[in-house]
Amino acid sequence: MALDRELDKTKVVFIDTCRRLMELGELTEEEYLGICDLLDRLDELDKEAFQQELRRISRGLSDLIGER
Amino acid sequence: MNSSDANQTFDLPMDLAAERQVLGILIKHPALVDKVVDRLRPSHFVDLSHRRIYELILDLYHKQGRISYTQIYNLLVAEGMESPRELLIALTESFVSLGELEPCVEILIRQEGLRRIIKACDTIKALALDPKAENLTELQARAQELIFAATQSNGGAENEVKNLLEVLTQCYLNLLRRREGVEDAYGLSVRFPSIDGMTTGFKKGDLIILAARPSMGKTALLLNMVTNVAKRNIPVLVFSLEMDAEQLGDRIVLSELFTYKEGGQHVVTSHEYQTKLSDEQFQLTQKVFNDLYPLPIAIVDKRGLTVAEIRAKARRFKAENPELGLIAIDYLQLIKPPGNANRSWALIVGEMVRELRDLAGELDVPLILCSQLNRGVESRENKRPMMSDLRDSGNIEEFADVVMFLYRDDYYYPELAREKGTEGLAEVIFAKQRKGATGVVQLRFIKEYTRFIEETKRQV
């Protein structure tokens, strides 16, 4: 449960950060919405699938958070 | 929207932590919305941000959308909240286990109930201290109304303004209950299949007029329905303005005795019941008494009651018996009109009927009101009552949700009925049904036992 809580907290922080990046013009609206959808489907994806999806949605963000 | 707790009044009972716990659990486990949606309303949340989040959860639930932190975050931002980040993080940290949901919901319901009572008391105090206050009787009635609304589990006055989401959520739940065959998903069954078939049960808040000429069997049918309802352990409140309680009691016993036969003969006749019984008959009658003792029927047999007095007694009864399922009043023309009324009889009656319909709505029960028809019916060749027969006595039909007329051919043409074998045949004419079809069903009236039974041929 504690891990779950941390994950939810991270999601909120992450989506908040992404929105700010969108406001700064670093992410497009399409990328932002794709990330929202990806976060909602997080439980259905393993780590590799998540990275792949993230890279597909936003190469820039994927590089920014260090995923290659 | 201000997410801080500072937007709230701190002297009222509230538990902001419990509010966060409930929201946190529902966002994390949306399937649990099903368990709270029918009893937890946005008004249970004091913090306006919490309240709004709960509204968004309900909205997503109703549209079968995904309920998640991401969705709620975006909806809050779309509404102009600068950053819901801290608010939502507080929700993620609010609970440890799912077992916290139920106790927290109970806390929110309880505290909202307390807030309603406090608010009602404040209003009553202000009314009582107002130098321009109404007269004492009106003030007492208003105070009673406020307290009654505040002590209703469904929130009373707070429900006056309902948004479509709340309304449709309730409709959807009703639909599910009907689909699942839950017994009380329909209206209140009176256990006359032909009548229930027409009405699908009397609906809560409805005013049902049962009108007929004298001696047609109005009181008998009313008591039969009342007994049938009470046999399912549903409390019923009867206002009998004509007969006293013992007379009603005897009628109830008699109508039950009708069902006991031996060798095709009734074991106890009406005459025997009212004179002297053999040991065997006495034993059987005692059994009937024992069966009837536990029925939750309450009778008020005071004559000359006004609508205000009926309302006060009904409210008190409902407060003591929250499961109250039916109110029956026998009959309209014996209700005492307000003393200072200087208007036409029709207007006065119309207003009394409207007030009784409001009472049914306020107490959320069906209310059956017997009404006597005037002689106008008898001047026609076809003596079956019509809607226009009610018009002379105020616009009763305007306020009624259901209008039922009781008619027996043998009342007017006994010889002909004997010849045709239609003696005792009664027609229940549904002249108006706001939520259903009109039509006629047949019952058989066993006058000696003041008992109506189903007639095989139902639809005329």
Side-chain angles (χ1 to χ4, degrees):
Chain A
M1 192 57 93
L3 192 66
D4 258 5
R5 270 211 310 268
E6 281 309 308
L7 185 62
D8 283 335
K9 206 162 132 182
T10 308
K11 276 187 200 173
V12 173
V13 175
F14 188 63
I15 204 67
D16 189 59
T17 308
C18 289
R19 188 176 66 87
R20 287 179 194 284
L21 286 172
M22 181 177 72
E23 282 169 359
L24 292 170
E26 298 290 335
L27 285 177
T28 65
E29 189 178 353
E30 196 184 342
E31 285 173 321
Y32 174 73
L33 293 175
I35 291 162
C36 290
D37 182 55
L38 181 61
L39 286 181
D40 277 346
R41 293 187 292 115
L42 201 58
D43 295 344
E44 303 157 18
L45 306 170
D46 58 22
K47 189 181 172 191
E48 196 180 330
F50 173 76
Q51 287 170 349
Q52 223 169 29
E53 275 288 283
L54 185 61
R55 207 172 301 128
R56 185 186 63 76
I57 294 165
S58 170
R59 186 61 190 257
L61 185 66
S62 177
D63 290 345
L64 194 69
I65 61 174
E67 299 294 344
R68 289 184 173 82
Chain B
M1 184 164 42
N2 181 358
S3 66
S4 86
D5 296 343
N7 56 3
Q8 309 307 334
T9 318
F10 279 97
D11 55 356
L12 289 174
M14 66 176 82
D15 189 334
L16 300 179
E19 293 183 7
R20 282 191 286 270
Q21 277 167 287
V22 170
L23 295 175
I25 292 172
L26 294 182
I27 297 175
K28 181 70 187 166
H29 302 278
L32 293 177
V33 176
D34 272 339
K35 290 196 184 302
V36 302
V37 68
D38 60 336
R39 57 205 163 108
L40 198 62
R41 297 188 309 276
S43 60
H44 284 108
F45 294 83
V46 174
D47 185 287
L48 296 182
S49 305
H50 293 165
R51 185 177 294 183
R52 186 61 195 139
I53 290 174
Y54 185 61
E55 285 170 347
L56 294 174
I57 290 174
L58 289 181
D59 200 24
L60 288 167
Y61 166 82
H62 194 68
K63 291 176 183 159
Q64 298 183 325
R66 189 191 286 267
I67 297 171
S68 69
Y69 279 107
T70 320
Q71 299 296 327
I72 302 283
Y73 177 94
N74 285 327
L75 289 168
L76 290 173
V77 169
E79 288 183 354
M81 189 182 278
E82 200 184 315
S83 173
R85 174 181 158 144
E86 297 312 318
L87 176 65
L88 294 182
I89 284 177
L91 299 187
T92 66
E93 293 170 337
S94 64
F95 70 101
V96 176
S97 86
L98 298 186
E100 294 163 31
L101 179 65
E102 202 49 41
C104 287
V105 168
E106 289 302 318
I107 288 172
L108 298 192
I109 290 172
R110 177 186 149 75
Q111 297 200 324
E112 196 237 9
L114 295 175
R115 290 195 297 275
R116 283 207 312 265
I117 292 171
I118 292 169
K119 199 175 152 197
C121 291
D122 286 347
T123 311
I124 292 167
K125 188 177 168 188
L127 285 172
L129 293 175
D130 183 356
K132 286 177 266 168
E134 308 154 78
N135 73 47
L136 184 61
T137 315
E138 281 169 18
L139 197 59
Q140 284 167 332
R142 178 76 187 125
Q144 194 181 39
E145 203 174 297
L146 284 164
I147 287 292
F148 183 80
T151 50
Q152 285 301 286
S153 58
N154 66 2
E158 289 206 5
N159 272 355
E160 281 170 10
V161 181
K162 294 175 179 164
N163 65 41
L164 188 61
L165 174 65
E166 280 180 77
V167 173
L168 290 183
T169 301
Q170 195 51 51
C171 292
Y172 184 66
L173 288 171
N174 292 342
L175 179 73
L176 288 181
R177 284 156 61 81
R178 288 198 294 274
R179 195 173 139 80
E180 286 163 14
V182 176
E183 196 193 353
D184 64 351
Y186 298 88
L188 181 75
S189 160
V190 291
R191 291 294 196 259
F192 282 105
S194 55
I195 293 179
D196 291 336
M198 280 297 288
T199 62
T200 66
F202 292 136
K203 314 294 180 298
K204 288 179 177 178
D206 275 5
L207 174 69
I208 300 112
I209 300 286
L210 172 57
R213 287 288 296 144
S215 299
M216 281 290 169
K218 285 187 302 291
T219 307
L221 181 57
L222 184 75
L223 279 184
N224 288 176
M225 293 194 286
V226 161
T227 311
N228 290 350
V229 169
K231 279 181 180 170
R232 279 149 40 228
N233 208 25
I234 299 170
V236 184
L237 178 60
V238 180
F239 290 92
S240 176
L241 307 180
E242 184 180 40
M243 294 187 190
D244 65 36
E246 284 88 39
Q247 279 176 297
L248 292 191
D250 280 337
R251 276 180 168 232
I252 293 172
V253 173
L254 251 182
S255 99
E256 287 304 300
L257 281 170
F258 168 77
T259 55
Y260 292 91
K261 288 182 182 174
E262 228 173 62
Q265 296 292 309
H266 292 290
V267 181
V268 181
T269 66
S270 164
H271 180 72
E272 285 162 343
Y273 175 75
Q274 283 159 35
T275 51
K276 200 172 176 187
L277 300 176
S278 69
D279 288 349
E280 189 199 343
Q281 287 172 325
F282 184 65
Q283 241 173 13
L284 172 76
T285 310
Q286 268 187 321
K287 180 193 172 311
V288 169
F289 270 88
N290 287 333
D291 290 344
L292 291 172
Y293 283 139
L295 297 194
I297 299 175
I299 300 170
V300 179
D301 64 353
K302 190 176 171 196
R303 292 181 186 193
L305 287 175
T306 61
V307 171
E309 287 168 318
I310 289 174
R311 188 168 45 222
K313 288 181 195 305
R315 280 177 183 154
R316 199 172 311 135
F317 187 83
K318 167 84 176 180
E320 290 161 6
N321 301 271
E323 300 303 312
L324 174 66
L326 176 67
I327 295 177
I329 303 176
D330 186 24
Y331 57 84
L332 170 65
Q333 286 73 14
L334 292 180
I335 299 175
K336 191 175 168 188
N340 58 356
N342 191 19
R343 286 161 299 164
S344 76
W345 175 244
L347 277 177
I348 294 168
V349 171
E351 190 162 321
M352 292 198 300
V353 173
R354 184 185 55 75
E355 285 180 29
L356 290 172
R357 183 203 58 186
D358 292 348
L359 178 67
E362 179 187 324
L363 302 188
D364 201 26
V365 292
L367 189 156
I368 305 177
L369 174 63
C370 288
S371 176
Q372 206 162 80
L373 294 174
N374 59 34
R375 286 177 201 281
V377 178
E378 276 154 29
S379 60
R380 293 196 300 263
E381 195 177 335
N382 184 348
K383 301 183 191 323
R384 282 176 180 77
M386 300 186 296
M387 285 292 265
S388 55
D389 294 320
L390 286 175
R391 256 161 233 157
D392 297 338
S393 325
N395 291 339
I396 298 175
E397 84 281 4
E398 197 180 300
F399 300 114
D401 297 285
V402 178
V403 174
M404 297 157 65
F405 292 117
L406 189 58
Y407 172 79
R408 284 189 292 118
D409 227 13
D410 66 356
Y411 176 83
Y412 295 104
Y413 313 106
E415 296 298 326
L416 193 64
R418 245 192 303 276
E419 278 172 30
K420 285 164 64 182
T422 56
E423 226 179 354
L425 200 65
E427 292 177 19
V428 181
I429 303 163
F430 285 84
K432 176 182 178 182
Q433 275 213 93
R434 221 188 281 280
K435 297 160 194 163
T438 55
V440 182
V441 297
Q442 289 188 333
L443 297 176
R444 187 163 287 277
F445 183 44
I446 316 296
K447 196 172 180 184
E448 189 190 354
Y449 288 91
T450 63
R451 170 110 183 186
F452 281 86
I453 55 171
E454 277 293 320
E455 177 67 16
T456 324
K457 186 186 163 205
R458 285 184 193 148
Q459 206 73 33
V460 178

